[in-house]
Amino acid sequence: MSSLSLSNVQQARHALGLRLRELRKDAGLTSRELARRAGWHESKCSRLEHGRSSPSDQDIRSWASLCGVQDQIADLIATVRGIETMYVDWRRMERGGLKQVQQSVAPLMERTSRFRTYQSWVVPGLLQTARYTRTVLGTISALRDVPGDFEDAVAVRVHRQRVLHSGRQRFAMLLEEWVLRTVIGDSEVMTEQLDHLVTAASLPCVSLGIVPLGVPRGLGWPVESFTLYDDAQANVELVAGHLTVTRPSEVAEYARAFTELSEIAVYGPRARKLIIAAIDSLK
């Protein structure tokens, strides 16, 4: 998945087209007959099946109904809606500045009740101190030549942490132990950040798990960082861009990955012990 690029959008369209073709054939329909029943020109079926056109929601409803698979309508529509937005490279996403990126997730944050975050890179944004966030976003700004508004972006991200005290949302956070050992900024910034993790882990709405170094991984394989928003969406952080997953079956794969990782993580006093050890290593 880390090699995903914009070419995958076309690949996803092609895969959707193959799926539509299989549904049509399983229903015993020719493309001409399906088009006739739907009131379309025959060429429309060919364009959809070869990924040259994107179907509308109504196209999907008609296709699935004529093929007798109404139970697949929701999944097919989610697939279509996700294709165009599934991958956005960071430079395109950040061309309006980091503040805009931080603000863009506000509606999603507000409507989500259950957050599940796995981080193999850095401390999750909701658990970051201002100085840690400033270092992370400052580095991003420099590496990707983003407009220099990262101080405003820091303020937006810190303000967003109010959701931790809403009383109506729950946050399950998983970190690889090496995130605790990766020095972002300097030892002072990291010590403050790790101290903050201990405090944040005590919040009633937060479950913090650490995947220890050296633990047999089993099915909990280390993967790219991602966040699940209820069971509706997964946002995935890649080296070159940002992936949004909304297809139910694919969201379920990330949910399963989170479950497998959570089963090899440690919590409570054992997690705190790993954080304290990381703090001690900085002294």
Side-chain angles (χ1 to χ4, degrees):
M1 187 170 290
S2 60
S3 63
L4 191 72
S5 68
L6 290 175
S7 65
N8 286 72
V9 174
Q10 183 55 41
Q11 292 175 18
R13 285 179 179 160
H14 180 68
L16 173 63
L18 290 177
R19 187 177 175 192
L20 293 176
R21 183 181 183 186
E22 290 172 357
L23 293 176
R24 174 181 61 76
K25 287 190 169 185
D26 288 345
L29 295 173
T30 65
S31 59
R32 177 176 297 177
E33 179 62 17
L34 190 149
R36 185 189 68 78
R37 295 186 185 185
W40 303 335
H41 191 281
E42 185 180 349
S43 64
K44 179 169 181 175
C45 287
S46 177
R47 292 197 305 273
L48 293 177
E49 289 186 357
H50 288 86
R52 292 195 293 268
S53 297
S54 295
S56 67
D57 290 359
Q58 187 54 50
D59 290 340
I60 289 295
R61 293 189 182 96
S62 296
W63 195 292
S65 296
L66 291 170
C67 294
V69 288
Q70 292 90 334
D71 60 318
Q72 296 192 37
I73 290 175
D75 194 69
L76 287 167
I77 287 177
T79 299
V80 173
R81 292 179 179 177
I83 285 174
E84 295 301 331
T85 58
M86 64 183 292
Y87 177 85
V88 182
D89 68 77
W90 290 120
R91 291 186 183 277
R92 178 182 168 196
M93 176 176 285
E94 296 164 349
R95 62 189 175 192
L98 292 174
K99 179 182 178 181
Q100 178 181 312
V101 174
Q102 296 300 315
Q103 290 174 326
S104 68
V105 300
L108 179 61
M109 298 288 294
E110 290 297 328
R111 67 175 179 263
T112 300
S113 298
R114 182 189 183 199
F115 296 79
R116 284 165 288 175
T117 296
Y118 166 74
Q119 262 293 351
S120 55
W121 292 1
V122 295
V123 173
L126 288 176
L127 302 184
Q128 292 178 5
T129 64
R131 289 207 295 173
Y132 187 96
T133 293
R134 186 173 292 109
T135 303
V136 170
L137 296 186
T139 300
I140 289 172
S141 180
L143 286 175
R144 299 204 282 257
D145 194 26
V146 181
D149 66 343
F150 69 87
E151 285 293 349
D152 291 334
V154 171
V156 172
R157 177 175 281 188
V158 171
H159 179 68
R160 192 165 68 221
Q161 293 177 1
R162 72 189 189 283
V163 298
L164 295 173
H165 306 280
S166 71
R168 63 177 181 83
Q169 295 164 304
R170 295 293 178 267
F171 305 85
M173 309 281 194
L174 294 177
L175 300 180
E176 295 285 350
E177 185 182 354
W178 61 71
V179 172
L180 308 178
R181 300 284 183 160
T182 301
V183 179
I184 302 296
D186 56 29
S187 60
E188 185 177 337
V189 170
M190 278 305 301
T191 298
E192 179 186 54
Q193 175 59 72
L194 294 173
D195 281 335
H196 181 67
L197 268 186
V198 174
T199 301
S202 67
L203 292 173
C205 65
V206 174
S207 168
L208 178 63
I210 309 295
V211 180
L213 290 167
V215 65
R217 302 297 305 207
L219 298 178
W221 197 254
V223 294
E224 61 274 6
S225 299
F226 64 87
T227 295
L228 285 158
Y229 299 88
D230 292 323
D231 290 316
Q233 177 175 322
N235 287 357
V236 188
E237 299 174 20
L238 306 174
V239 172
H242 179 273
L243 179 67
T244 300
V245 178
T246 56
R247 184 177 175 184
S249 58
E250 294 179 351
V251 172
E253 290 184 27
Y254 279 97
R256 179 184 176 187
F258 188 88
T259 297
E260 299 293 351
L261 287 160
S262 67
E263 289 179 354
I264 60 173
V266 297
Y267 303 85
R270 294 176 66 190
R272 190 177 304 112
K273 183 177 179 180
L274 294 179
I275 297 172
I276 297 303
I279 294 173
D280 290 341
S281 71
L282 294 168
K283 296 179 180 178

